[in-house]
């Protein structure tokens, strides 16, 4: 039923970004990436500021192993001012899959700059730098890892 609503909304306004995005997302959830992709691309063309479209399109391309496209659309997101840990993690992961570890680490560090409590990412970077002999950075990311783990285990008093 939701798809019917989005299609109807799109008939009323062919530039309705949320409808384009939701149609693409629905197709993607159904595993119909070939049908999802054109809706995502149209949504970006209509409204390059609609951030969720970049995230879902990157997920689609990751699933298809199209890492150059992951990089392209995440760079487009950055160029349109969508600076977040999600975009930088996507870029880092794509570079890891392309076996370009140096570029990957640079983007993963940018991701941590936006969200320091991503303790899994901090652990990865601490281990990477430890293996590569940069103990200062290893310690920095190790400390962030510990801080993230500690904060994730804290239960707010309102939940007691």
């Amino acid at each position: 039923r939701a798809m019917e609503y989005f299609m109807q909304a799109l008939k009323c306004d062919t530039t309705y970004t949320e409808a384009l995005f939701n149609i693409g997302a629905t197709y993607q959830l159904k595993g119909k990436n070939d049908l999802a992709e054109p809706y995502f691309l149209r949504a970006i063309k209509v409204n390059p500021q609609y951030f969720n479209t970049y995230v879902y399109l990157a997920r689609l391309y990751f699933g298809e192993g199209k890492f150059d496209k992951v990089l392209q659309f995440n760079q487009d997101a950055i160029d349109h001012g969508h600076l977040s840990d999600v975009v930088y993690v996507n870029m880092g992961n794509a570079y890891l899959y392309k076996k370009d570890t140096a570029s990957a680490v640079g983007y993963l560090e940018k991701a941590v700059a936006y969200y320091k409590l991503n303790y899994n990412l901090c652990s990865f970077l601490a281990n990477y730098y430890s293996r590569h002999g940069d103990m200062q950075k290893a310690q920095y990311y190790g400390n962030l890892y510990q801080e993230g783990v500690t904060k994730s285990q804290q239960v707010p008093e309102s939940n007691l």
Side-chain angles (χ1 to χ4, degrees), residues 64 67 75 100:
E64 295 179 347
F67 304 116
Q75 186 60 55
D100 182 350

Side-chain angles (χ1 to χ4, degrees), residues 4-159:
E4 291 173 27
Y5 169 77
F6 299 136
M7 289 293 197
Q8 188 62 34
L10 201 53
K11 285 180 185 176
C12 295
D13 180 359
T14 59
T15 64
Y16 185 23
T17 305
E18 289 83 359
L20 290 166
F21 167 76
N22 284 314
I23 292 167
T26 302
Y27 279 133
Q28 187 177 23
L29 288 171
K30 292 181 174 186
K32 298 179 178 182
N33 289 349
D34 58 322
L35 298 175
E37 183 183 25
Y39 285 98
F40 289 144
L41 294 173
R42 271 181 60 199
I44 288 172
K45 186 174 182 179
V46 167
N47 184 359
Q49 298 304 318
Y50 197 72
F51 177 64
N52 285 340
T53 309
Y54 295 96
V55 173
Y56 276 68
L57 193 55
R59 187 181 302 154
L60 183 148
Y61 290 139
F62 259 117
E64 295 179 347
K66 297 178 180 176
F67 304 116
D68 288 329
K69 286 193 173 198
V70 171
L71 294 170
Q72 173 194 341
F73 282 97
N74 279 285
Q75 186 60 55
D76 289 349
I78 292 168
D79 293 346
H80 284 93
H82 301 299
L83 305 177
S84 78
D85 61 320
V86 172
V87 173
Y88 290 125
V89 167
N90 284 344
M91 296 285 282
N93 286 337
Y95 277 116
L96 284 173
Y97 277 104
K98 290 175 63 76
K99 303 199 183 316
D100 182 350
T101 306
S103 295
V105 167
Y107 280 102
L108 296 176
E109 286 183 313
K110 288 180 182 185
V112 170
Y114 277 91
Y115 186 63
K116 290 186 180 356
L117 299 182
N118 184 334
Y119 58 88
N120 290 321
L121 193 51
C122 291
S123 174
F124 171 84
L125 289 169
N127 288 327
Y128 173 81
Y129 282 116
S130 178
R131 284 191 314 270
H132 288 83
D134 190 336
M135 299 319 289
Q136 185 176 3
K137 283 191 174 185
Q139 183 175 8
Y140 171 75
Y141 288 109
N143 290 341
L144 286 178
Y145 167 78
Q146 288 300 323
E147 182 182 335
V149 168
T150 300
K151 288 192 178 185
S152 74
Q153 293 173 346
Q154 293 174 346
V155 179
E157 285 185 36
S158 63
N159 290 346

